[in-house]
Amino acid sequence: MKSQHVADILLLRGPVSLSHLFAGTFLHEGDKAIDATCGNGYDTLALAKLTGSSGHVYGFDIQEQAIRETSRRLAEAGLAGRVTLLQIGHEKMEQLVRSPVKAVLFNLGYLPGSDHMIMTRPDTTRIAMNHSLKLLEPGGIVLITVYPGHDGGTDEQHAVDDWAAGLDPRKYHSWRMGQMNVISDAPYCVLVQKAA
Ligand code: SAH
């Protein structure tokens, strides 16, 4: 989903816009960031803009279509040089990205308009979330958009919620944020910040 702006005001419609709000607050020129699920590449592009010409973004997706679409979107914006795209599962991120990283974004579920059987799964998501924490610098954030409403979404929702709620509060600050005037299984945002 693309975040929506009117006259430079970010509209807070749905959880993806919230994750962009937080990414915009925490990421600065020169930072390193990870898009753990490139999908259509909107988040990857947003991260590449925020981290600037001296920063770098690593984008993961297992689908060729997602990597191709993200690559096209970055090239169109002239920002391909700021991003390393990897057609590899995000559960390998710790081996492929060097610490420290300021922000890691996940947009879970399946890619709209593509094969709905190819989706993020609780086991690999859990591994990748743990890798993210290891890679984060103090004060850095993990932002996860969770989709409870599809097949398999409830299992993944529980995996993310249990993981975030179980983190040691002296080491991490975990938040769950969801829009209230929407259906009960609407997507929501989980944020985990590494304590300083
Ligand atoms: N549900 C969102 C879009 C999510 S896209 C929306 O409606 O806007 C999720 C992406 O995660 C897909 O492109 C899919 O290919 C990718 N993906 C699935 N498993 C993955 C894994 N293990 N590592 C990296 N990407 C993965």
Side-chain angles (χ1 to χ4, degrees):
M1 198 196 306
K2 199 172 166 181
S3 58
Q4 297 173 339
H5 291 75
V6 171
D8 280 340
I9 294 182
L10 172 64
L11 293 178
L12 295 178
R13 181 169 167 268
V16 173
S17 62
L18 262 197
S19 74
H20 284 200
L21 175 70
F22 282 105
T25 302
F26 282 86
L27 283 171
H28 300 108
E29 168 83 36
D31 284 334
K32 206 151 64 181
I34 296 176
D35 186 350
T37 50
C38 289
N40 283 317
Y42 293 114
D43 291 347
T44 325
L45 178 62
L47 296 178
K49 287 180 181 166
L50 290 167
T51 52
S53 54
S54 60
H56 202 72
V57 177
Y58 292 83
F60 289 84
D61 205 294
I62 51 172
Q63 275 191 86
E64 189 187 345
Q65 182 189 329
I67 295 294
R68 205 183 321 117
E69 182 58 15
T70 303
S71 171
R72 191 196 60 72
R73 195 175 301 288
L74 292 166
E76 202 176 80
L79 300 181
R82 296 183 185 182
V83 181
T84 302
L85 290 176
L86 300 156
Q87 194 184 335
I88 298 175
H90 45 217
E91 61 278 11
K92 300 257 164 56
M93 71 165 75
E94 198 191 350
Q95 290 94 292
L96 296 163
V97 181
R98 205 176 300 160
S99 182
V101 168
K102 180 65 81 61
V104 185
L105 260 72
F106 291 80
N107 194 356
L108 301 177
Y110 56 81
L111 186 62
S114 145
D115 182 352
H116 290 191
M117 291 311 289
I118 306 177
M119 59 177 141
T120 55
R121 309 266 175 191
D123 286 353
T124 38
T125 299
R126 207 180 287 108
I127 295 170
M129 294 188 300
N130 283 324
H131 282 198
S132 305
L133 295 186
K134 289 191 189 161
L135 290 170
L136 275 192
E137 60 186 82
I141 56 170
V142 183
L143 287 159
I144 308 162
T145 299
V146 185
Y147 293 78
H150 68 83
D151 266 2
T154 311
D155 289 346
E156 191 161 54
Q157 169 188 23
H158 290 141
V160 175
D161 286 1
D162 291 351
W163 171 82
L167 294 171
D168 182 344
R170 289 165 302 184
K171 296 183 180 161
Y172 300 101
H173 312 304
S174 293
W175 291 83
R176 178 183 155 146
M177 294 163 278
Q179 191 173 339
M180 295 181 76
N181 56 342
V182 288
I183 50 167
S184 60
D185 62 356
Y188 59 90
C189 181
V190 169
L191 180 155
V192 174
Q193 182 182 40
K194 192 175 207 166

